[in-house]
Amino acid sequence: MLNLRPHDWQSATDVVDATTATLGPWLTFAIAVVVAVVSALVLTVIVSGIVKLALRRRSWGQSFVRYVRRPFRTIILIIALWIAIDRYFPLGLAGGNAAENAAWDAVIDRAAAIGSIAAAAWLLIELVRFATEMALGHYRIDVPDNRVARRIRTQVLILRRVAVVIIVILAIGAALLTFPSIQAFGASVLASAGIASIVAGLAAQSVLANMFAGIQLVFSEALRVDDVVVADGQWGRVGEITLSYVVLDLWDDRRLVLPCTYFTTTPFENWTRKGSELLGAVELDVDWRISTARMREHLQRVVGETELWDGRTAVLQVTEATGGMVRVRILVTAANAGTLFDLRCLVREEMVAWVRRTNPDALPVQRIMVTQPAEATEAESTNTGAVEGLFSGSAQGEARAAQYTNAIPIQDDASDDADGDTEDARRESPTSEESAR
């Protein structure tokens, strides 16, 4: 047993060497690992307390600590373990030579470096998430007038996804560059970057097209999160926009997933492009005996007693009067698409009940006229004289026809044919004198 005295300790290195010689290399390594873990945890607790104290007057202080606490703790822990392993791991006990020990040391350093890069990328992603959540917190979409909030939310979410993808790609590249062989390969890739970019572009043409289409949708404001749209014959609300696809939450709780290129190449209806207010129509076919004035009065009572109507428009008009029936169109407005659907159903139901209750004679009927067969009468004389028409029969009609026929030479084929037939008849038929002979 080595007898150590305080005055023999010349430096911290002498203390470590003495402890190693006294306790053994593996026990010293285990103690170093435990000390590293405890030190990392204590340091994170201290830093967390300082940050909370400094941000105690900020409403976002607790949220900031919650987002960055775990990745920061992981970084500190990896660095502490890296120092402990690099300093106290007993490489020479396995009997290897210096080259093998150097190789093992390089492996440990590379693993620690990759772990540190991954933890740093995690910390950056959490910081991006915190920043975007703070930005989204100032723009609520659960309010009636939320067009600006939906635009900001859509752009912030797509920017967050782009930032996360960039961070992940950079982290993977940094981790791969810790390998010497990858560094040499990277130099050769840079030398052939032109050909590689062409090949990659052709191979991932659809993926890149969807990605750019998603970015175009977001920043052109053609489509936003929570927009009400009609796409592919389906009516729904935009639930999510990514760099490759758009998710529509349909009215019957289904989900329709469409590629971003669909919205850049195919026309679609956006009912909330400028606002959520909409106008809808209700059509009824009734008999000619209906009183439209009384229908208008009842319509005003119906919309005035419901909260679904936004008070902008409630109009009743007769748009058709053919086929033995009168078509009545009612136009009403509401704050959004869902409310408008319910309002149209309510107005239709109330108007049908009112017609059935107060004007049963105005219900749609099919009229059939039953008559006796007409007796045969002498044929009426027809007017064989000139009849005034749009382009003939009068000076105005002939002037009107001249506007369309002046440029075309007209030949009276009928009169020419008649003259020809007369001459032929004269040649072929005998004269009266020849007949007398």
Side-chain angles (χ1 to χ4, degrees):
M1 186 67 68
L2 182 63
N3 187 15
L4 299 175
R5 296 178 181 178
H7 61 272
D8 295 331
W9 295 349
Q10 301 297 326
S11 62
T13 305
D14 296 334
V15 175
V16 173
D17 294 339
T19 304
T20 303
T22 303
L23 301 178
W26 286 109
L27 184 57
T28 303
F29 173 69
I31 293 174
V33 170
V34 172
V35 171
V37 172
V38 173
S39 301
L41 295 178
V42 171
L43 179 60
T44 55
V45 170
I46 294 174
V47 173
S48 178
I50 294 174
V51 173
K52 288 181 179 180
L53 184 62
L55 302 177
R56 65 183 184 276
R57 296 183 179 179
R58 302 288 184 178
S59 59
W60 46 267
Q62 298 293 331
S63 177
F64 176 79
V65 173
R66 185 174 66 254
Y67 273 97
V68 303
R69 178 173 53 196
R70 287 185 296 174
F72 178 75
R73 183 181 299 171
T74 303
I75 291 177
I76 298 300
L77 183 60
I78 291 175
I79 294 175
L81 289 176
W82 189 0
I83 295 174
I85 294 173
D86 185 69
R87 180 66 180 81
Y88 299 105
F89 188 75
L91 292 173
L93 296 181
N97 54 27
E100 293 179 354
N101 293 339
W104 277 105
D105 188 58
V107 170
I108 293 173
D109 290 343
R110 187 174 296 114
I114 293 175
S116 301
I117 293 171
W122 183 15
L123 178 61
L124 291 177
I125 291 174
E126 292 298 320
L127 288 175
V128 170
R129 290 184 56 200
F130 167 75
T132 54
E133 289 297 329
M134 287 295 299
L136 295 177
H138 293 84
Y139 298 94
R140 298 174 53 189
I141 62 174
D142 56 347
V143 295
D145 188 9
N146 58 359
R147 184 172 62 89
V148 176
R150 289 187 286 109
R151 175 175 61 83
I152 297 297
R153 184 178 184 84
T154 304
Q155 294 178 355
V156 168
L157 289 177
I158 203 72
L159 287 176
R160 181 169 72 181
R161 289 189 176 94
V162 172
V164 169
V165 170
I166 292 175
I167 291 173
V168 171
I169 292 176
L170 293 178
I172 294 175
L176 292 177
L177 288 178
T178 58
F179 297 90
S181 57
I182 298 297
Q183 294 178 0
F185 177 74
S188 62
V189 167
L190 290 177
S192 59
I195 300 177
S197 61
I198 295 175
V199 174
L202 293 176
Q205 184 177 4
S206 61
V207 176
L208 294 176
N210 272 321
M211 183 175 65
F212 287 114
I215 297 175
Q216 177 183 350
L217 285 176
V218 170
F219 289 98
S220 65
E221 299 186 33
L223 198 66
R224 297 178 293 256
V225 173
D226 209 43
D227 269 346
V228 178
V229 299
V230 178
D232 198 26
Q234 302 289 337
W235 173 71
R237 189 179 299 273
V238 178
E240 184 181 3
I241 300 177
T242 68
L243 290 176
S244 57
Y245 60 87
V246 177
V247 180
L248 297 183
D249 300 335
L250 302 184
W251 64 275
D252 54 358
D253 291 338
R254 291 181 296 151
R255 301 295 182 270
L256 180 63
V257 181
L258 295 171
C260 292
T261 52
Y262 173 88
F263 294 93
T264 58
T265 58
T266 306
F268 65 96
E269 298 181 23
N270 190 338
W271 292 3
T272 54
R273 179 67 175 83
K274 294 295 184 181
S276 60
E277 299 83 2
L278 292 174
L279 181 145
V282 176
E283 291 188 341
L284 300 174
D285 289 335
V286 293
D287 193 74
W288 287 65
R289 289 170 287 187
I290 191 67
S291 174
T292 55
R294 295 176 58 190
M295 286 190 73
R296 289 189 180 93
E297 295 175 359
H298 185 66
L299 173 63
Q300 295 301 325
R301 286 195 298 268
V302 171
V303 297
E305 294 174 358
T306 179
E307 296 180 355
L308 302 176
W309 185 50
D310 61 0
R312 291 189 298 128
T313 303
V315 178
L316 185 147
Q317 294 175 316
V318 177
T319 58
E320 294 283 347
T322 58
M325 287 183 294
V326 173
R327 177 161 298 178
V328 176
R329 175 180 293 175
I330 300 172
L331 301 178
V332 291
T333 56
N336 52 63
T339 306
L340 179 63
F341 178 80
D342 294 338
L343 178 60
R344 291 170 61 198
C345 293
L346 174 65
V347 170
R348 185 181 296 110
E349 180 180 351
E350 291 292 335
M351 298 305 293
V352 169
W354 178 82
V355 172
R356 187 174 58 247
R357 183 178 62 253
T358 63
N359 290 271
D361 295 338
L363 294 174
V365 295
Q366 186 70 32
R367 290 182 174 86
I368 300 176
M369 182 178 293
V370 180
T371 61
Q372 296 295 331
E375 296 180 356
T377 59
E378 186 178 356
E380 297 181 356
S381 60
T382 59
N383 184 8
T384 58
V387 178
E388 182 177 352
L390 181 63
F391 295 101
S392 63
S394 65
Q396 293 82 359
E398 294 176 358
R400 188 180 299 110
Q403 296 178 0
Y404 298 94
T405 58
N406 277 342
I408 302 174
I410 299 177
Q411 182 177 0
D412 193 351
D413 296 334
S415 60
D416 294 344
D417 294 340
D419 294 341
D421 293 340
T422 303
E423 292 296 333
D424 294 339
R426 288 178 179 175
R427 294 191 188 97
E428 295 176 359
S429 61
T431 61
S432 56
E433 296 178 356
E434 292 177 351
S435 298
R437 292 177 186 174

mmCIF file with all atom_site columns, all heavy atoms in Angstrom, residues 368-374:
data_model
loop_
_atom_site.group_PDB
_atom_site.id
_atom_site.type_symbol
_atom_site.label_atom_id
_atom_site.label_alt_id
_atom_site.label_comp_id
_atom_site.label_asym_id
_atom_site.label_entity_id
_atom_site.label_seq_id
_atom_site.pdbx_PDB_ins_code
_atom_site.Cartn_x
_atom_site.Cartn_y
_atom_site.Cartn_z
_atom_site.occupancy
_atom_site.B_iso_or_equiv
_atom_site.pdbx_formal_charge
_atom_site.auth_seq_id
_atom_site.auth_comp_id
_atom_site.auth_asym_id
_atom_site.auth_atom_id
_atom_site.pdbx_PDB_model_num
ATOM 1  N N   . ILE A 1 368 ? -103.091 18.105 -65.832 1.00 0.00 ? 368 ILE A N   1
ATOM 2  C CA  . ILE A 1 368 ? -103.400 17.332 -67.032 1.00 0.00 ? 368 ILE A CA  1
ATOM 3  C C   . ILE A 1 368 ? -104.740 17.815 -67.553 1.00 0.00 ? 368 ILE A C   1
ATOM 4  O O   . ILE A 1 368 ? -105.753 17.804 -66.826 1.00 0.00 ? 368 ILE A O   1
ATOM 5  C CB  . ILE A 1 368 ? -103.453 15.822 -66.743 1.00 0.00 ? 368 ILE A CB  1
ATOM 6  C CG1 . ILE A 1 368 ? -102.105 15.338 -66.212 1.00 0.00 ? 368 ILE A CG1 1
ATOM 7  C CG2 . ILE A 1 368 ? -103.858 15.048 -67.995 1.00 0.00 ? 368 ILE A CG2 1
ATOM 8  C CD1 . ILE A 1 368 ? -102.109 13.891 -65.817 1.00 0.00 ? 368 ILE A CD1 1
ATOM 9  N N   . MET A 1 369 ? -104.833 18.277 -68.789 1.00 0.00 ? 369 MET A N   1
ATOM 10 C CA  . MET A 1 369 ? -106.073 18.767 -69.398 1.00 0.00 ? 369 MET A CA  1
ATOM 11 C C   . MET A 1 369 ? -106.710 17.641 -70.203 1.00 0.00 ? 369 MET A C   1
ATOM 12 O O   . MET A 1 369 ? -106.091 17.090 -71.117 1.00 0.00 ? 369 MET A O   1
ATOM 13 C CB  . MET A 1 369 ? -105.785 19.976 -70.291 1.00 0.00 ? 369 MET A CB  1
ATOM 14 C CG  . MET A 1 369 ? -107.043 20.555 -70.925 1.00 0.00 ? 369 MET A CG  1
ATOM 15 S SD  . MET A 1 369 ? -106.672 22.031 -71.918 1.00 0.00 ? 369 MET A SD  1
ATOM 16 C CE  . MET A 1 369 ? -106.162 23.182 -70.623 1.00 0.00 ? 369 MET A CE  1
ATOM 17 N N   . VAL A 1 370 ? -107.931 17.289 -69.827 1.00 0.00 ? 370 VAL A N   1
ATOM 18 C CA  . VAL A 1 370 ? -108.695 16.236 -70.511 1.00 0.00 ? 370 VAL A CA  1
ATOM 19 C C   . VAL A 1 370 ? -109.756 16.904 -71.371 1.00 0.00 ? 370 VAL A C   1
ATOM 20 O O   . VAL A 1 370 ? -110.632 17.616 -70.839 1.00 0.00 ? 370 VAL A O   1
ATOM 21 C CB  . VAL A 1 370 ? -109.329 15.261 -69.494 1.00 0.00 ? 370 VAL A CB  1
ATOM 22 C CG1 . VAL A 1 370 ? -110.111 14.181 -70.245 1.00 0.00 ? 370 VAL A CG1 1
ATOM 23 C CG2 . VAL A 1 370 ? -108.259 14.663 -68.610 1.00 0.00 ? 370 VAL A CG2 1
ATOM 24 N N   . THR A 1 371 ? -109.762 16.731 -72.695 1.00 0.00 ? 371 THR A N   1
ATOM 25 C CA  . THR A 1 371 ? -110.707 17.357 -73.629 1.00 0.00 ? 371 THR A CA  1
ATOM 26 C C   . THR A 1 371 ? -111.271 16.316 -74.582 1.00 0.00 ? 371 THR A C   1
ATOM 27 O O   . THR A 1 371 ? -110.681 15.226 -74.773 1.00 0.00 ? 371 THR A O   1
ATOM 28 C CB  . THR A 1 371 ? -110.032 18.478 -74.420 1.00 0.00 ? 371 THR A CB  1
ATOM 29 O OG1 . THR A 1 371 ? -108.955 17.923 -75.178 1.00 0.00 ? 371 THR A OG1 1
ATOM 30 C CG2 . THR A 1 371 ? -109.495 19.571 -73.494 1.00 0.00 ? 371 THR A CG2 1
ATOM 31 N N   . GLN A 1 372 ? -112.417 16.657 -75.215 1.00 0.00 ? 372 GLN A N   1
ATOM 32 C CA  . GLN A 1 372 ? -113.015 15.808 -76.226 1.00 0.00 ? 372 GLN A CA  1
ATOM 33 C C   . GLN A 1 372 ? -112.275 15.975 -77.552 1.00 0.00 ? 372 GLN A C   1
ATOM 34 O O   . GLN A 1 372 ? -111.794 17.058 -77.861 1.00 0.00 ? 372 GLN A O   1
ATOM 35 C CB  . GLN A 1 372 ? -114.501 16.173 -76.406 1.00 0.00 ? 372 GLN A CB  1
ATOM 36 C CG  . GLN A 1 372 ? -115.364 15.924 -75.181 1.00 0.00 ? 372 GLN A CG  1
ATOM 37 C CD  . GLN A 1 372 ? -115.458 14.449 -74.846 1.00 0.00 ? 372 GLN A CD  1
ATOM 38 O OE1 . GLN A 1 372 ? -115.360 13.600 -75.758 1.00 0.00 ? 372 GLN A OE1 1
ATOM 39 N NE2 . GLN A 1 372 ? -115.635 14.134 -73.574 1.00 0.00 ? 372 GLN A NE2 1
ATOM 40 N N   . PRO A 1 373 ? -112.215 14.943 -78.368 1.00 0.00 ? 373 PRO A N   1
ATOM 41 C CA  . PRO A 1 373 ? -111.527 15.090 -79.671 1.00 0.00 ? 373 PRO A CA  1
ATOM 42 C C   . PRO A 1 373 ? -112.266 16.058 -80.566 1.00 0.00 ? 373 PRO A C   1
ATOM 43 O O   . PRO A 1 373 ? -113.499 16.059 -80.633 1.00 0.00 ? 373 PRO A O   1
ATOM 44 C CB  . PRO A 1 373 ? -111.546 13.672 -80.242 1.00 0.00 ? 373 PRO A CB  1
ATOM 45 C CG  . PRO A 1 373 ? -112.638 12.979 -79.510 1.00 0.00 ? 373 PRO A CG  1
ATOM 46 C CD  . PRO A 1 373 ? -112.688 13.574 -78.137 1.00 0.00 ? 373 PRO A CD  1
ATOM 47 N N   . ALA A 1 374 ? -111.580 16.919 -81.242 1.00 0.00 ? 374 ALA A N   1
ATOM 48 C CA  . ALA A 1 374 ? -112.188 17.937 -82.098 1.00 0.00 ? 374 ALA A CA  1
ATOM 49 C C   . ALA A 1 374 ? -112.797 17.292 -83.333 1.00 0.00 ? 374 ALA A C   1
ATOM 50 O O   . ALA A 1 374 ? -112.215 16.360 -83.914 1.00 0.00 ? 374 ALA A O   1
ATOM 51 C CB  . ALA A 1 374 ? -111.155 18.981 -82.491 1.00 0.00 ? 374 ALA A CB  1
#
